[in-house]
Amino acid sequence: MASRARVRAPELIGKGGWLNTGGNDLTLSDLRGRIVILDFWTFCCVNCLHVLDELRELEERHRDSVVIIGVHSPKFVHEAEHQAVVDAVERYGVEHPVLDDPELATWKQYAVRAWPTLVVIDPEGYVVAQHAGEGHAHAIESLVEELIAEHGAKGTLRRGDGPYVPPEPVATDLRFPGKAVRLPGGTFLVSDTTRHQLVELAADGEQVLRRIGTGERGLGPDSFNEPQGLALLPDGRVAVADTVNHAIRVLDPATGALETVAGTGRQWWQGSPTSGPAREVDLSSPWDVAWWQDRLWIAMAGVHQIWTYDPADGTVAVAAGTTNEGLVDGPAAEAWFAQPSGIAAGGDRLWIADSETSAVRWIERAANGGPGAPGDGHVVRTAVGTGLFDFGHRDGAAEQALLQHPLGVTALPDGSVAIADTYNHALRRYDPASGEVTTLATDLREPSAAVLADDDIVVVESARHRLTRLRLPEEAVRVESVAHRTQRAATDIAPGTLRLDVVFQAPAGQKLDTRYGPSTRLLVSATPPELLAEGAGAGTDLARDLVLADDVTEGVLHVSAMAASCDDAPDIEYPACHVHQQDWGVPVRITADGVARLGLVLAGLDAE
């Protein structure tokens, strides 16, 4: 086994305390003799949710020797609330201890720069690897087996039951419901996300008429995996965004028959097809669906895009977005989104809740747009929101209004749109005619969607596990204005030229896959764009010299990196290949005594 740098792991501290431990606090000394994997996550982040799913198999296979610790490190103000973290741990089926670190104390101790980040600590308490982003489960599995062999031989491995203590189950009809749709008969179909089911409720929104699905994770003819969005199709059937199955399903409410119409069950990765026969193309965390312009439009949260499914020829295709995360308007093929999680058809506009930019956006045909492939002749525009780092609760003119991680949009009969402003616990409204944003209702608990029911609007109160019926008010509710920015310490960098190094070390037994050209990709941009005089744009080298502008003193560097590695053994006829990818948003401040090199770890350890 190759020698590694011996870096002692800092202690685990978090003001919010511990979850899933039966009320016990944990220290690294308590875990000595076990392999510890720290998962730095925040529950708004779809990439973090992907990693939770990636780790489930490893967690089960090595439960007697590996302890996974979730370190919850919030981005949004709401995510720093302890009860919100408690809810998220149950919502996403987290079956390991979680440290609630609202002040990012442990994040800072481990010099973490991005969600998600995984840190591996050996049984003697030393950091041996760090991985940022998704796609690292296979590498960590290999390292775990190596560590088990090494420390088993040394006598420093301690096997046994881990510190995880499951919480007591709570009996409610719904558990963290995601979305809802009103069926023609007046009943409601609700995605009961945490229980992996759909539930039909009576017209009162309370009485359970039936449950659809076994309640166990799966992609079978009677199972789901954290379903979210629902849309009524012209033939009376219901499309379902089966989020963690990375699939689109169609349910016949009359017979209960369930069919998979798009997706393979595998998550889409860079380089995979983006169009073709729907059952042969991978998807990535479809979060919501809407019928518009004779197609099913899909909010593909996992890759920051909008896709379509055309039932006429059974194909899917990207309609808008580049997979880059951010807020950029313009022609659909060039636009940037950030985890679109709600979508609704409203006449000539397709409304979108772009959650990570705390924005409401829309797609429409350009003035000269005509028929053609999805996205042809369409443009993306922003109604509310400015980018990844500004959020809050502020009404008034849309250009200065603020939301906080909205998950749902509902087109209203007057041409306006209701917004499930999830982390503000509010229902908001944007009126294109006046350009104003108002608040319709407060004291909702993590509303994730809403559906019209005659003169009422029925809100999915996800964290209260219920539907709540409201009369659409004629007047807005007055709320105190508040604005926030994502709080992360800025990195001091020196003026002039900054060396950017993305560190990637292929897992043991693998090498970079160069059979079809470069296997790495690096995309760099900045907010404001004027921060970079040179160095922005795409390339294949994971190292780059960035020239900083003379007259900009602070900003954010946006770095997106990808690397593909494959089995290196010559006797393997069909080597397994894996994609590693991550996006960073690094706040920087230009100072004379700042650093001249910025190292970001995609996989491995930074030696400098």
Side-chain angles (χ1 to χ4, degrees):
M1 183 172 181
S3 61
R4 301 189 183 91
R6 301 286 283 175
V7 179
R8 177 67 70 177
E11 191 51 81
L12 307 177
I13 53 176
K15 190 174 182 180
W18 289 89
L19 307 177
N20 284 356
T21 62
N24 299 315
D25 292 344
L26 298 180
T27 65
L28 285 178
S29 62
D30 298 330
L31 303 172
R32 193 63 52 82
R34 313 296 289 273
I35 300 163
V36 178
I37 301 172
L38 303 182
D39 176 15
F40 289 87
W41 69 299
T42 188
F43 63 78
C44 73
C45 161
V46 72
N47 311 91
C48 300
L49 304 185
H50 291 167
V51 168
L52 285 176
D53 290 313
E54 288 178 1
L55 292 176
R56 291 187 198 279
E57 188 175 340
L58 181 149
E59 187 170 34
E60 183 59 34
R61 184 182 299 119
H62 298 289
R63 196 172 285 279
D64 69 335
S65 55
V66 172
V67 175
I68 296 177
I69 302 289
V71 183
H72 189 269
S73 312
K75 171 186 175 181
F76 289 96
V77 169
H78 170 60
E79 292 175 304
E81 297 176 14
H82 182 69
Q83 185 57 48
V85 180
V86 173
D87 289 344
V89 167
E90 180 188 351
R91 182 195 301 267
Y92 297 115
V94 179
E95 295 184 352
H96 51 248
V98 173
L99 175 63
D100 181 9
D101 183 18
E103 297 176 346
L104 304 182
T106 297
W107 166 288
K108 294 171 186 173
Q109 286 293 311
Y110 281 82
V112 175
R113 295 184 182 276
W115 298 277
T117 290
L118 299 169
V119 175
V120 182
I121 302 171
D122 74 11
E124 295 179 289
Y126 291 94
V127 175
V128 293
Q130 181 172 326
H131 302 265
E134 304 177 50
H136 302 294
H138 71 287
I140 293 176
E141 172 78 35
S142 176
L143 177 58
V144 163
E145 292 176 352
E146 198 176 345
L147 290 170
I148 288 174
E150 176 189 354
H151 290 273
K154 289 174 63 176
T156 50
L157 181 69
R158 176 169 58 90
R159 295 181 182 270
D161 293 335
Y164 169 65
V165 178
E168 291 293 325
V170 181
T172 54
D173 288 335
L174 301 174
R175 205 69 192 161
F176 298 104
K179 307 286 185 181
V181 66
R182 196 181 189 206
L183 298 177
T187 61
F188 296 94
L189 190 66
V190 184
S191 54
D192 197 16
T193 304
T194 297
R195 292 195 177 128
H196 317 295
Q197 292 181 316
L198 305 183
V199 176
E200 185 176 2
L201 300 178
D204 62 6
E206 297 181 8
Q207 181 187 356
V208 175
L209 300 179
R210 62 171 167 164
R211 295 183 179 276
I212 301 166
T214 63
E216 300 294 329
R217 296 179 186 269
L219 189 55
D222 56 356
S223 58
F224 300 94
N225 196 345
E226 296 184 26
Q228 287 282 349
L230 305 168
L232 192 64
L233 300 176
D235 62 5
R237 297 188 299 164
V238 176
V240 183
D242 198 358
T243 303
V244 180
N245 274 329
H246 309 294
I248 301 298
R249 321 288 294 279
V250 170
L251 171 75
D252 186 338
T255 65
L258 181 65
E259 176 188 4
T260 300
V261 298
T264 63
R266 298 183 300 270
Q267 183 184 340
W268 185 94
W269 292 98
Q270 288 287 350
S272 300
T274 56
S275 63
R279 290 297 308 277
E280 299 175 15
V281 176
D282 299 339
L283 309 181
S284 182
S285 295
W287 210 274
D288 202 5
V289 284
W291 184 260
W292 188 60
Q293 293 186 350
D294 298 322
R295 291 182 175 92
L296 186 72
W297 293 67
I298 306 165
M300 202 72 75
V303 285
H304 318 300
Q305 290 181 313
I306 307 298
W307 288 41
T308 61
Y309 164 66
D310 186 350
D313 59 12
T315 59
V316 291
V318 174
T322 64
T323 76
N324 295 322
E325 184 178 13
L327 193 155
V328 176
D329 289 342
E334 301 172 12
W336 291 23
F337 295 91
Q339 214 169 297
S341 302
I343 193 167
D348 58 358
R349 291 183 176 182
L350 184 73
W351 294 102
I352 299 162
D354 202 28
S355 62
E356 281 293 287
T357 54
S358 297
V360 169
R361 308 173 71 185
W362 80 86
I363 295 176
E364 65 182 2
R365 285 203 185 278
N368 58 352
D376 286 358
H378 287 87
V379 294
V380 177
R381 307 194 192 282
T382 297
V384 186
T386 60
L388 288 164
F389 303 100
D390 295 293
F391 58 93
H393 192 147
R394 181 193 290 153
D395 287 332
E399 58 268 19
Q400 58 86 50
L402 293 172
L403 310 170
Q404 187 179 177
H405 198 80
L407 288 179
V409 282
T410 307
L412 301 179
D414 65 357
S416 66
V417 58
I419 307 158
D421 193 4
T422 309
Y423 288 2
N424 279 328
H425 311 299
L427 187 69
R428 312 283 293 281
R429 176 176 177 260
Y430 166 67
D431 183 2
S434 66
E436 294 285 311
V437 175
T438 53
T439 298
L440 299 179
T442 57
D443 193 32
L444 301 167
R445 186 67 186 172
E446 291 192 17
S448 54
V451 59
L452 290 172
D454 302 321
D455 294 329
D456 298 335
I457 190 165
V458 176
V459 180
V460 180
E461 265 197 284
S462 187
R464 283 200 178 111
H465 321 292
R466 70 187 188 190
L467 302 189
T468 298
R469 184 182 293 263
L470 303 172
R471 179 71 64 179
L472 274 172
E474 296 181 2
E475 296 185 1
V477 176
R478 293 188 180 274
V479 297
E480 183 178 352
S481 177
V482 60
H484 303 287
R485 280 186 64 82
T486 300
Q487 296 301 308
R488 278 182 288 164
T491 298
D492 289 340
I493 59 177
T497 299
L498 176 70
R499 179 66 172 180
L500 172 65
D501 285 325
V502 174
V503 177
F504 178 76
Q505 297 160 5
Q510 294 202 340
K511 64 178 181 179
L512 287 174
D513 178 20
T514 57
R515 292 171 298 168
Y516 307 108
S519 62
T520 56
R521 186 191 70 163
L522 180 65
L523 177 68
V524 179
S525 61
T527 301
E530 296 77 21
L531 175 65
L532 291 178
E534 296 178 27
T540 58
D541 194 340
L542 291 181
R544 187 180 302 179
D545 288 330
L546 308 179
V547 180
L548 305 169
D550 294 332
D551 54 351
V552 180
T553 59
E554 62 180 7
V556 178
L557 288 175
H558 305 283
V559 180
S560 177
M562 183 274 289
S565 62
C566 294
D567 291 337
D568 193 20
D571 58 335
I572 299 178
E573 184 176 1
Y574 300 105
C577 296
H578 304 273
V579 176
H580 318 252
Q581 62 184 44
Q582 173 62 0
D583 297 330
W584 292 266
V586 183
V588 296
R589 183 171 50 234
I590 316 301
T591 63
D593 57 351
V595 299
R597 175 185 177 272
L598 177 62
L600 301 176
V601 177
L602 179 60
L605 290 174
D606 189 358
E608 296 188 36

